[in-house]
């Protein structure tokens, strides 16, 4: 784990990059956390909770996809959230310096420990180490906590899409952000 915190009464928290297949326990934890996040209406593309086998296949695919990186948050060793990074395709050399952050969430029962911030900081560290210079993301207007977090960490809004999301019969606008994480690349 890249970061941990523990006092006598405090839970152990941490974040990590997932470099290999998830264990059965981790896969179950991630599916449970995903269910919670979807039911809470936040941070994930599903509007309704899919069948468990669909979720399991999805997460197994994320870990094996060469254009995706998975980062997870843990609370007392239980996966409680994630953040994914979509890497640029090899044929797009002109935009090969940018990655896209997607599907970040922390399960409602694990919020308030700073794990969302820790996930972003770990994504930024690894992205710089991997040679990337910019992180892009989009977030629904309704995600006030996420928007505040992104702004506090220096992400700059550069646009909005009024028809970005359809959920429960509603159209929800999304905001688009970027952050330069390796300014030396542009000198």
């Amino acid at each position: 784990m890249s970061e941990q915190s523990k006092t006598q009464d405090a839970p152990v928290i941490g974040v990590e990059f997932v470099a290999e297949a998830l264990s059965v326990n981790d896969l179950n934890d991630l599916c449970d956390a995903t269910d919670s996040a979807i039911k809470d209406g936040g941070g994930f593309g599903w509007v309704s909770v899919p069948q468990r086998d669909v979720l399991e296949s999805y997460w197994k695919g994320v870990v094996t996809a060469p254009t995706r990186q998975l980062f997870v948050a843990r609370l007392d060793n239980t996966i409680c959230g994630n953040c994914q990074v979509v890497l640029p395709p090899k044929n797009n050399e002109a935009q090969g310096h940018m990655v896209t952050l997607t599907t970040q969430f922390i399960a409602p029962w694990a919020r308030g420990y700073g794990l969302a911030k820790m996930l972003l900081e770990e994504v930024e560290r690894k992205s710089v180490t991997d040679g990337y210079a910019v992180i892009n993301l989009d977030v629904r207007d309704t995600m006030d906590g996420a928007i505040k977090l992104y702004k506090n960490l220096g992400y700059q809004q550069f646009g909005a899409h009024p028809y970005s999301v359809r959920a429960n019969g509603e159209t929800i606008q999304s905001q688009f952000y970027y952050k330069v994480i390796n300014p030396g690349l542009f000198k």
Side-chain angles (χ1 to χ4, degrees), residues 18 20-22 26-28 30-35 37-38 43-46 48-72 81-86 100-105:
V18 178
E20 54 191 45
L22 294 162
D26 282 349
L27 180 60
N28 284 325
L30 187 51
C31 288
D32 290 344
T34 304
D35 284 354
I38 294 168
F44 210 78
W46 273 299
S48 57
V49 177
Q51 295 293 324
R52 187 58 166 232
D53 62 326
V54 172
L55 270 182
E56 289 177 1
S57 293
Y58 173 79
W59 289 117
K60 288 176 185 176
V62 167
V63 173
T64 61
T67 58
R68 296 245 172 182
Q69 294 179 335
L70 177 64
F71 297 79
V72 296
N82 105 107
C83 182
Q84 292 178 52
V85 173
V86 179
T100 302
L101 187 141
T102 187
T103 68
Q104 180 180 9
F105 69 83

Side-chain angles (χ1 to χ4, degrees), residues 103-124:
T103 68
Q104 180 180 9
F105 69 83
I106 300 295
W109 50 267
R111 294 180 185 153
Y113 295 99
L115 288 164
K117 180 181 180 205
M118 289 172 65
L119 272 172
L120 283 173
E121 290 169 342
E122 184 63 19
V123 163
E124 290 176 10

